[in-house]
Amino acid sequence: MNGYSPPFHYAMAFSGLFYTVMGLLVLWTVLQNYFKPKTILIVLTALLFGTNLFHYATYDATFSHTYSFFLFSLFLLFVERFYRKGKVLDCAAMGISAGLIVVTRNANILWLLFGVFYGIVSIQDIPQRIHFWKLHWKKILLALVALVLVVIPQLIYWRMITMSFFVFSYPGETFNLAKPEVLNVLFSVRKGLFFWSPILLTIFPGLYFVRQKAKEYFLPILIFFPIDVYVISSWWSWWYGGSFGQRPFAEAIPMFAIALCCLYEGVESTRWKKVLVVVIILASAYTIWMMLKYWFGIVPFDGLTWEHFVKTFFTLSMPQR
């Protein structure tokens, strides 16, 4: 009984799937305040299979990304409830989910920007937001205390194990903030976000409709996405080792879901809506195909080249030795 025996392996594998399902259910709850059930069903199904989310819910379920996906969705739920109702429990839950986001993957602290900028639609909203914070300062303080209380056990654990309250688990590795590999992170055959999950390109036309359909999220997305891309691109290993696609974006599926829902409902023409559905299906089929090739070892865990991609595109079985 050491934590590495088979039952623990099974529990970890199952928990990745469990938190993905829970994340989808929570995200559905968030989206239903803005969109029709049919839209949500189409979008969440497309993003589950059209991105690397399904992969990290099953094949690599021990990675942190599905847990962060669940926490991202949960944080949005309580942020929205807090600004609408101002209840103490929602504020405490917002702080707890924020603390878990920070503990699970430190760089994801950027997601807390949604808690700051949600609902700010124009410059005129800024004084109102500041007034809201002043009016509910005790509840906001409660959220911050909840966040700290969630983080403290991690610090205590590090202290017990390493004699230090703060531990950097990537010694010798760093961020190259002056030389972010933005184009590689977004478009390269090796691990490009849009190369492996082209369905996520819908965030750009979708952002146009976000201002109409879910305006509370327009500014948070506009601020978060470029900063997140910059931080992810600045890590020295911009390809993030052996992984399916650009894995640090898996937890940000709620942001892409909002954009795609807005795009789907924003396109009023029946003809263009059908075109969008076809594009979604083709993009999802492509990512599923690439995922299967990754599982079978046709696509290497890392170092995919354009030549290998073209040569093996229609291959789904390893050559016999």
Side-chain angles (χ1 to χ4, degrees):
M1 196 72 167
N2 57 14
Y4 295 95
S5 51
F8 292 92
H9 290 203
Y10 302 147
M12 290 182 68
F14 176 76
S15 64
L17 180 61
F18 173 80
Y19 281 106
T20 300
V21 173
M22 291 301 296
L24 290 170
L25 293 175
V26 173
L27 183 54
W28 184 294
T29 304
V30 173
L31 296 174
Q32 70 180 358
N33 293 319
Y34 299 91
F35 310 107
K36 300 174 184 177
K38 177 184 176 182
T39 301
I40 302 173
L41 179 62
I42 292 173
V43 168
L44 292 188
T45 302
L47 292 179
L48 175 62
F49 296 105
T51 68
N52 52 10
L53 182 60
F54 184 79
H55 171 83
Y56 287 105
T58 54
Y59 189 94
D60 276 330
T62 57
F63 282 62
S64 68
H65 306 294
T66 53
Y67 305 97
S68 294
F69 161 67
F70 164 71
L71 293 170
F72 277 24
S73 301
L74 197 66
F75 183 72
L76 288 187
L77 176 66
F78 290 120
V79 164
E80 187 177 285
R81 287 183 177 180
F82 173 64
Y83 282 119
R84 284 188 177 182
K85 302 177 181 179
K87 291 185 177 180
V88 174
L89 288 179
D90 291 333
C91 198
M94 182 175 65
I96 292 172
S97 57
L100 289 172
I101 286 172
V102 174
V103 169
T104 302
R105 197 164 184 269
N106 303 153
N108 286 339
I109 192 174
L110 291 173
W111 191 254
L112 304 192
L113 290 171
F114 278 81
V116 177
F117 295 103
Y118 170 83
I120 297 179
V121 179
S122 63
I123 297 178
Q124 289 74 21
D125 292 329
I126 296 177
Q128 297 178 13
R129 174 55 52 86
I130 294 174
H131 176 72
F132 179 88
W133 287 343
K134 289 181 178 178
L135 189 65
H136 297 277
W137 71 269
K138 292 182 180 179
K139 297 173 184 176
I140 295 174
L141 180 61
L142 173 63
L144 294 174
V145 170
L147 188 158
V148 172
L149 289 176
V150 170
V151 174
I152 285 177
Q154 180 69 63
L155 303 183
I156 293 175
Y157 173 78
W158 277 337
R159 174 66 178 176
M160 292 172 60
I161 299 299
T162 69
M163 300 304 295
S164 175
F165 284 111
F166 298 96
V167 175
F168 183 64
S169 56
Y170 295 90
E173 304 181 51
T174 185
F175 286 95
N176 297 323
L177 297 176
K179 296 181 179 180
E181 297 284 350
V182 175
L183 291 179
N184 279 325
V185 164
L186 295 181
F187 300 106
S188 74
V189 65
R190 186 176 184 180
K191 296 290 179 183
L193 173 68
F194 300 128
F195 182 88
W196 290 74
S197 300
I199 193 175
L200 297 182
L201 283 167
T202 55
I203 190 174
F204 297 111
L207 196 59
Y208 171 80
F209 293 102
V210 169
R211 193 150 195 172
Q212 303 174 21
K213 300 291 182 178
K215 57 184 179 180
E216 293 86 351
Y217 287 106
F218 179 77
L219 185 60
I221 294 176
L222 200 63
I223 293 175
F224 168 80
F225 185 55
I227 297 176
D228 194 43
V229 169
Y230 170 71
V231 172
I232 291 172
S233 303
S234 297
W235 186 242
W236 74 274
S237 177
W238 60 264
W239 56 93
Y240 289 83
S243 58
F244 177 64
Q246 193 60 242
R247 61 186 177 87
F249 289 96
E251 41 260 65
I253 292 298
M255 173 186 66
F256 293 106
I258 293 169
L260 185 51
C261 281
C262 288
L263 177 60
Y264 183 81
E265 292 198 353
V267 176
E268 298 179 355
S269 167
T270 303
R271 178 184 177 184
W272 284 109
K273 196 177 288 288
K274 289 180 179 179
V275 170
L276 178 59
V277 170
V278 171
V279 170
I280 290 173
I281 292 173
L282 292 176
S284 300
Y286 165 80
T287 299
I288 292 172
W289 179 247
M290 293 295 291
M291 181 173 62
L292 291 173
K293 287 159 62 66
Y294 184 88
W295 288 4
F296 280 95
I298 310 303
V299 171
F301 287 177
D302 187 22
L304 179 65
T305 63
W306 179 254
E307 292 74 18
H308 184 77
F309 169 77
V310 173
K311 182 179 179 180
T312 64
F313 184 77
F314 295 104
T315 303
L316 194 58
S317 62
M318 291 292 288
Q320 296 294 327
R321 294 184 178 180

